[in-house]
Amino acid sequence: MAQRRTGHVTMLDIARACGFSVSTVSLVLTEARLSANVAEKTRQKIRAMAQKLGYHPDAYARSLRSRRSGTIGVLAYDLSDPFCIPIVRGIQAGLQSANYLPLLMDAQTERKLFDSYLKMILERRAEGVIVIASWVFEEANLLADIEKNHVPIIIVGRDLTGRRISSVLVDNEAGGALALRHLHQLGHRKIAVIRGPEELFDSEPRWAGVRCAAAETDIQLDPRLVFQLPSLVDPMSGFDGGRQLAGQMLASGRTFTGVVAFDDLTALGVMRGLAEAGVRVPEECSVVGFDDVLPSAVSTPGMTTIRQPLRQMGLQAAAWTLEALEPSEEDGRQVARIQMLPPELVLRNSTGRPRPKIRERRRPTQKTQLQESV
Amino acid sequence: MAQRRTGHVTMLDIARACGFSVSTVSLVLTEARLSANVAEKTRQKIRAMAQKLGYHPDAYARSLRSRRSGTIGVLAYDLSDPFCIPIVRGIQAGLQSANYLPLLMDAQTERKLFDSYLKMILERRAEGVIVIASWVFEEANLLADIEKNHVPIIIVGRDLTGRRISSVLVDNEAGGALALRHLHQLGHRKIAVIRGPEELFDSEPRWAGVRCAAAETDIQLDPRLVFQLPSLVDPMSGFDGGRQLAGQMLASGRTFTGVVAFDDLTALGVMRGLAEAGVRVPEECSVVGFDDVLPSAVSTPGMTTIRQPLRQMGLQAAAWTLEALEPSEEDGRQVARIQMLPPELVLRNSTGRPRPKIRERRRPTQKTQLQESV
DNA sequence: TTCTACTATTCGAACGTTTGAAATGTCAAT
DNA sequence: ATTGACATTTCAAACGTTCGAATAGTAGAA
């Protein structure tokens, strides 16, 4: 009954309904300092009426007036990539404690969308922006606009300190090395490697880590066993790539007992490709992934992989963003920082010792490795 | 230089910088009807200055004035459930064409969060709400508030027409029947079933569908081969449940050649459990899932499953929401509608004919089913 | 010159809140 | 009666936009 053209209940509605002014209503409902002066009876009346009418403050009006949106834009390049979710969770957790709300956007791997969402984040007056990205910003323009409007920005999953943007990411090189060393320790010497697509930032350092670890040991990486994923468009294309490359590996005629894949989806593709050719994992060939996303935890055999501390990365990004909002920070021209978090080997069942001379049935091999860290 | 206390560039900044009034700037930048009157030279000057200063309109001020937020709240019960993402994608696609922005929130399976996000959606003046939920609303209060504020609400994944909320969901019963019939057609007669947790809406109708299809055929469902998942807290618990129940199935001593699992994660758990016991899928036992989420597309063997038209469901929800915003709709008191979309059998490699008498090696069996619809 | 008819621009109020300053009412002390 | 002190409530301006109404500027017609 008391509503205006828009369906929303406002303070004016409450004020009229119980005979006070909007100011008084505001004082009471926001529990401002001055509300201490308001008579207890009045306070109760107003609160009851707010409850009764189903009043909720208008965040727009409030933000406009208070010049704070309480919002941090979070722009993910592709929410369907299971990689993103734990990062988002970390961000959520980090912001929650400071009472900031993440404004979550999903660019769906479309740069056009990415740009338009970044614009929206700016329009919605997010006080900071966290970008979860694999590729670079197309429009340097927008980046400049972000600066012009003094909105702090942090990127997760890439090193953009070169552009003076603080970056949080995993130590890809260490991860690549971890993967290779793991296979080495198990006894593998002939190892195939699938490098990531060229346009992905992670590809190069992971490959560097693999090479570096190979050099440390007695492993010779056979160039004919080094493959490269074509550029990827969605999470499934990594899988398809891995599956096809597994076929090429076998067709190459070179012997190998282990595969280091660029990421988990690729590794799952490799497992599929090997299975289709009748090669058993891990008995005849070990496979290591990278990321530790949900699908590799629930595959059979469980995927041995290099875990990125995704949640941790999200927490760090949130913490830095909030820090950048502190007034103390505002004057001292802050520099772009970088944090590389250490990856972690997750042992599951896709890796094992290379094929023993006496060909056993598969059961015993699997049983020995049954303790999981899913 | 021209910025005020808050770091954002405003129309006033532009107006001052090029000597016009805020009104003129507004006319030009919004390309309002009246901007036709503004001199071409003026328009260019203003646009150039806006560009130069990195101006972005303040969505808060704009929405306050125009009484439209251009926003639809989308509240997912758990974004880490791969089930949610395609729905969200569908919603995004449906809203995009109408220039509405989804305000995406992730309740992380926490009811407290769920409620507080619903409140925020209300405060941010979303013009409509789409809820992706498995469980019911805790606080009927909030639901009432939504009504009081005349915000249309639609739910995806549950039937809440009883509460006068329009609902979009898959036809679970048809899906359950589809799964059982598929196994029946392949020749299976001894089939184990894993029912979903009791508190999940989908559990009952899926089970009804299975029973119904069994009655249609000559299949006797052995009660000792019907299991029930404990209540689940996160996506992984379905997997763990399936894995354990697979063990129980085998321990029961009853013979079975096929398993209908409540959902994909459960089915993946079953596959793991069977593998750990040395039972091969699909040669010795077929497994059918439900949902068709990413992990079942990339498992080995690929999971045969009942696909929910998730994207479709999102699109439908978006369409209804937008429809409810039409002024024409506003007077005619709309009733709660329900749409049950048909599920679809996705054939992959986790199902096959029951074990033939002559025990073959696995390759041929797998090759015959190699055409996939990933 | 005065009037009409434009064109180009600005005024000013409104959207729902917040909040320092001001107003009102009450009562006791001078 | 006047003043001050205090408790309670309201005024009014501001946040950045939008947009109908008003104004200023120019020019052609009477």
Side-chain angles (χ1 to χ4, degrees):
Chain A
M1 54 186 74
Q3 286 86 2
R4 333 186 51 66
R5 277 147 287 171
T6 166
H8 281 283
V9 182
T10 76
M11 283 191 172
L12 185 61
D13 294 317
I14 300 176
R16 282 214 269 252
C18 50
F20 291 101
S21 74
V22 173
S23 307
T24 310
V25 174
S26 171
L27 290 180
V28 171
L29 294 182
T30 57
E31 287 165 347
R33 298 186 284 289
L34 286 133
S35 77
N37 303 332
V38 178
E40 179 59 26
K41 231 171 46 185
T42 309
R43 274 188 272 176
Q44 285 178 358
K45 243 197 267 184
I46 289 178
R47 276 201 275 256
M49 185 56 74
Q51 177 82 28
K52 181 176 158 209
L53 296 182
Y55 171 79
H56 288 267
D58 184 319
Y60 286 82
R62 198 206 286 269
S63 295
L64 184 59
R65 165 69 218 217
S66 66
R67 311 163 139 272
R68 298 195 50 243
S69 67
T71 280
I72 303 290
V74 177
L75 182 44
Y77 70 97
D78 181 8
L79 273 189
S80 77
D81 191 330
F83 170 86
C84 285
I85 303 292
I87 298 178
V88 171
R89 284 285 164 87
I91 294 173
Q92 274 180 303
L95 295 181
Q96 203 152 24
S97 52
N99 255 312
Y100 272 84
L101 184 73
L103 185 57
L104 182 56
M105 314 239 141
D106 169 19
Q108 309 182 51
T109 68
E110 284 180 46
R111 306 210 179 202
K112 221 177 51 200
L113 265 183
F114 187 92
D115 289 341
S116 91
Y117 279 145
L118 205 52
K119 209 176 84 186
M120 284 188 173
I121 284 176
L122 229 34
E123 291 181 356
R124 307 214 154 219
R125 295 300 186 252
E127 295 175 46
V129 184
I130 300 174
V131 173
I132 307 174
S134 38
W135 16 266
V136 210
F137 298 86
E138 180 101 342
E139 285 214 32
N141 259 1
L142 272 173
L143 208 54
D145 281 3
I146 287 178
E147 263 191 71
K148 281 181 195 152
N149 288 283
H150 305 121
V151 179
I153 179 168
I154 300 230
I155 190 154
V156 179
R158 282 185 54 88
D159 177 0
L160 279 187
T161 47
R163 290 217 200 178
R164 309 190 54 244
I165 297 177
S166 291
S167 312
V168 179
L169 64 162
V170 74
D171 186 337
N172 281 298
E173 199 164 329
L178 222 47
L180 194 90
R181 261 187 242 121
H182 169 59
L183 290 182
H184 178 260
Q185 275 171 7
L186 285 172
H188 297 271
R189 291 301 178 270
K190 296 291 182 191
I191 295 172
V193 181
I194 298 184
R195 300 174 55 180
E198 270 170 1
E199 81 276 22
L200 237 56
F201 168 80
D202 309 296
S203 303
E204 189 44 39
R206 285 188 198 171
W207 168 234
V210 168
R211 270 186 335 221
C212 178
E216 279 172 14
T217 64
D218 51 345
I219 293 182
Q220 300 282 340
L221 290 174
D222 181 344
R224 279 161 300 186
L225 282 175
V226 174
F227 299 85
Q228 163 116 24
L229 281 176
S231 71
L232 77 170
V233 290
D234 66 74
M236 274 307 283
S237 62
F239 177 79
D240 293 332
R243 187 178 175 185
Q244 277 167 27
L245 290 179
Q248 291 185 30
M249 279 174 208
L250 295 168
S252 78
R254 318 292 304 169
T255 61
F256 60 95
T257 63
V259 180
V260 173
F262 170 65
D263 67 6
D264 281 353
L265 271 305
T266 309
L268 287 163
V270 169
M271 277 178 43
R272 174 76 69 84
L274 292 175
E276 282 168 359
V279 177
R280 286 171 304 151
V281 174
E283 293 84 350
E284 298 173 85
C285 183
S286 290
V287 178
V288 189
F290 204 117
D291 284 351
D292 191 27
V293 292
L294 179 69
S296 25
V298 300
S299 70
T300 300
M303 178 78 70
T304 294
T305 188
I306 307 299
R307 172 180 294 164
Q308 294 203 40
L310 298 172
R311 185 183 169 85
Q312 200 57 39
M313 287 156 64
L315 281 168
Q316 177 69 263
W320 275 358
T321 307
L322 293 174
E323 208 175 285
L325 297 179
E326 301 276 330
S328 62
E329 197 76 13
E330 221 168 323
D331 40 3
R333 204 78 208 102
Q334 68 258 34
V335 285
R337 292 182 284 183
I338 185 166
Q339 171 120 28
M340 293 225 279
L341 290 121
E344 180 192 347
L345 177 69
V346 180
L347 263 173
R348 296 206 186 91
N349 294 319
S350 67
T351 54
R353 306 206 151 270
R355 191 202 322 227
K357 328 290 163 301
I358 305 122
R359 185 151 175 181
E360 316 173 40
R361 292 299 306 152
R362 46 217 266 266
R363 273 227 251 155
T365 318
Q366 249 182 327
K367 277 278 162 64
T368 54
Q369 263 205 5
L370 218 86
Q371 22 42 312
E372 304 232 339
S373 47
V374 172
Chain B
M1 52 183 78
Q3 286 86 1
R4 332 186 54 64
R5 277 147 286 172
T6 166
H8 281 285
V9 182
T10 76
M11 283 191 173
L12 185 60
D13 294 319
I14 299 176
R16 282 214 268 253
C18 49
F20 292 100
S21 75
V22 174
S23 309
T24 311
V25 173
S26 171
L27 290 181
V28 171
L29 293 182
T30 57
E31 288 166 347
R33 299 185 283 291
L34 287 131
S35 75
N37 303 332
V38 177
E40 179 57 29
K41 231 170 49 185
T42 308
R43 276 189 269 177
Q44 285 177 359
K45 240 196 265 182
I46 289 178
R47 276 202 276 256
M49 185 56 75
Q51 176 81 30
K52 181 176 158 208
L53 295 182
Y55 171 79
H56 288 267
D58 184 319
Y60 287 83
R62 197 207 286 269
S63 295
L64 183 59
R65 164 70 219 219
S66 66
R67 312 163 137 269
R68 298 194 50 245
S69 66
T71 279
I72 302 291
V74 177
L75 182 44
Y77 69 97
D78 181 8
L79 272 189
S80 76
D81 190 332
F83 170 86
C84 286
I85 302 293
I87 297 179
V88 171
R89 284 284 165 89
I91 295 172
Q92 273 180 304
L95 295 181
Q96 201 152 26
S97 51
N99 256 311
Y100 272 84
L101 185 75
L103 185 57
L104 183 56
M105 314 238 141
D106 170 19
Q108 309 182 50
T109 69
E110 284 180 46
R111 305 211 180 202
K112 221 178 51 201
L113 265 184
F114 187 92
D115 289 342
S116 92
Y117 278 145
L118 206 51
K119 207 177 86 188
M120 283 189 175
I121 284 176
L122 230 34
E123 290 181 356
R124 302 206 161 225
R125 295 299 185 254
E127 297 175 44
V129 185
I130 299 174
V131 174
I132 306 173
S134 38
W135 17 266
V136 210
F137 298 88
E138 181 101 342
E139 285 215 34
N141 258 1
L142 272 173
L143 209 52
D145 281 2
I146 287 178
E147 263 191 70
K148 281 181 196 151
N149 288 282
H150 305 120
V151 180
I153 180 169
I154 302 236
I155 189 153
V156 179
R158 280 186 57 88
D159 178 0
L160 279 188
T161 47
R163 290 218 199 179
R164 307 189 55 246
I165 297 177
S166 290
S167 311
V168 178
L169 63 161
V170 75
D171 187 337
N172 281 298
E173 201 164 327
L178 222 49
L180 194 90
R181 262 187 241 121
H182 169 59
L183 289 182
H184 177 259
Q185 276 172 6
L186 285 172
H188 296 271
R189 292 300 178 270
K190 298 290 182 191
I191 296 173
V193 181
I194 299 183
R195 299 176 55 180
E198 269 169 2
E199 82 274 21
L200 237 56
F201 168 81
D202 310 296
S203 302
E204 189 45 39
R206 284 187 198 171
W207 168 233
V210 167
R211 270 185 337 222
C212 180
E216 281 171 14
T217 64
D218 52 344
I219 293 182
Q220 301 280 341
L221 289 174
D222 182 343
R224 281 162 299 188
L225 283 176
V226 175
F227 300 84
Q228 163 116 26
L229 281 176
S231 71
L232 77 172
V233 291
D234 68 74
M236 274 308 281
S237 62
F239 177 80
D240 293 332
R243 187 178 175 185
Q244 278 167 26
L245 290 180
Q248 290 185 31
M249 280 175 207
L250 295 168
S252 78
R254 318 293 304 167
T255 60
F256 59 95
T257 62
V259 180
V260 173
F262 169 65
D263 67 5
D264 281 351
L265 271 304
T266 310
L268 287 164
V270 169
M271 278 178 42
R272 174 76 68 85
L274 292 175
E276 282 168 358
V279 177
R280 284 172 303 151
V281 174
E283 292 83 352
E284 297 172 85
C285 182
S286 290
V287 178
V288 188
F290 204 117
D291 285 351
D292 190 28
V293 293
L294 180 69
S296 24
V298 300
S299 69
T300 298
M303 179 78 70
T304 294
T305 188
I306 307 299
R307 172 180 295 165
Q308 294 204 41
L310 299 173
R311 186 185 169 83
Q312 199 59 39
M313 287 157 65
L315 281 168
Q316 178 68 264
W320 275 357
T321 307
L322 294 175
E323 210 175 283
L325 298 179
E326 301 277 330
S328 61
E329 198 75 14
E330 224 168 319
D331 40 4
R333 202 80 208 102
Q334 67 260 33
V335 286
R337 292 182 283 184
I338 185 167
Q339 170 121 26
M340 293 225 279
L341 290 118
E344 180 192 349
L345 176 70
V346 179
L347 263 174
R348 296 206 187 90
N349 296 318
S350 67
T351 55
R353 309 206 149 272
R355 192 203 319 227
K357 329 286 164 298
I358 305 122
R359 184 152 176 180
E360 317 172 39
R361 291 300 305 152
R362 45 215 265 263
R363 274 229 248 155
T365 318
Q366 246 180 329
K367 277 278 162 63
T368 55
Q369 263 205 6
L370 216 86
Q371 20 45 309
E372 305 230 340
S373 47
V374 172

